[in-house]
Amino acid sequence: LENGILEKFKNNGFKITPQRSEILKTFLDSGSTPLSAEEIHRKVIVRYPNISLDTVYRNLNVFLDLEVVSKHNFLNNRSVYELSFREHHYHHLVCLKCGKAKPVDYCPFGRKDLKKLETDNNFIIKKHNFNIFGYCQSCSY
């Protein structure tokens, strides 16, 4: 995974700076949990105290342009990011109260469902995302 991402940077003329490497490490360490730029900044600043939040945002935009990460706006226009350079994609359960998003590690759409959507709508599907909104266990009481 990491080698494929590094290769994508190099093939597109981007250097792997220590800050970019640390941001990538932060994503890899988070598993499949989406992170806000602020959360990434809090983790990266431990090793790079002089990195600004603006630098994190600029690097996230590079990651987005290279399709290494994807950006989601689940609730309240709060953007979160997750690696999109994985073997499979994730959907999310999003709490309407606290805003936490939990990845679902399988796709609720089967291949037959997607093929039917393509056929019925004369449309070629390249990617999709799907989020389910409700209340997490902590907020449902």
Side-chain angles (χ1 to χ4, degrees):
L1 174 68
E2 188 174 355
N3 288 339
I5 294 171
L6 298 177
E7 187 177 308
K8 192 161 193 162
F9 270 87
K10 289 177 186 174
N11 290 344
N12 286 281
F14 289 95
K15 293 184 178 181
I16 305 300
T17 64
Q19 293 85 354
R20 285 183 183 149
S21 181
E22 190 66 21
I23 291 170
L24 176 58
K25 181 182 179 314
T26 300
F27 278 114
L28 293 170
D29 289 348
S30 75
S32 55
T33 303
L35 301 169
S36 69
E38 293 79 9
E39 290 168 322
I40 295 166
H41 182 252
R42 278 194 299 275
K43 292 174 187 276
V44 171
I45 204 166
V46 171
R47 285 193 37 144
Y48 294 93
N50 295 328
I51 192 170
S52 69
L53 182 58
D54 190 49
T55 299
V56 171
Y57 274 111
R58 275 196 309 275
N59 279 291
L60 285 172
N61 284 328
V62 171
F63 281 50
L64 284 166
D65 289 344
L66 295 176
E67 297 179 346
V68 170
V69 299
S70 53
K71 180 179 178 180
H72 304 281
N73 293 306
F74 294 129
L75 291 173
N76 304 326
N77 289 329
R78 180 179 174 260
S79 297
V80 292
Y81 304 83
E82 68 180 348
L83 283 179
S84 58
F85 208 78
R86 296 186 182 268
E87 291 179 21
H88 66 280
H89 62 281
Y90 290 95
H91 300 288
H92 302 89
L93 300 173
V94 182
C95 181
L96 291 166
K97 188 171 182 183
C98 69
K100 289 184 181 173
K102 179 181 178 183
V104 177
D105 62 355
Y106 64 91
C107 182
F109 289 115
R111 286 193 195 280
K112 287 168 58 174
D113 297 324
L114 291 173
K115 272 293 179 211
K116 182 171 178 9
L117 274 172
E118 285 184 326
T119 303
D120 290 354
N121 295 286
N122 196 24
F123 189 81
I124 299 170
I125 298 172
K126 292 295 185 186
K127 64 181 183 175
H128 67 275
N129 61 45
F130 182 69
N131 300 310
I132 300 169
F133 295 88
Y135 295 98
C136 69
Q137 185 176 8
S138 299
C139 295
S140 64
Y141 297 107

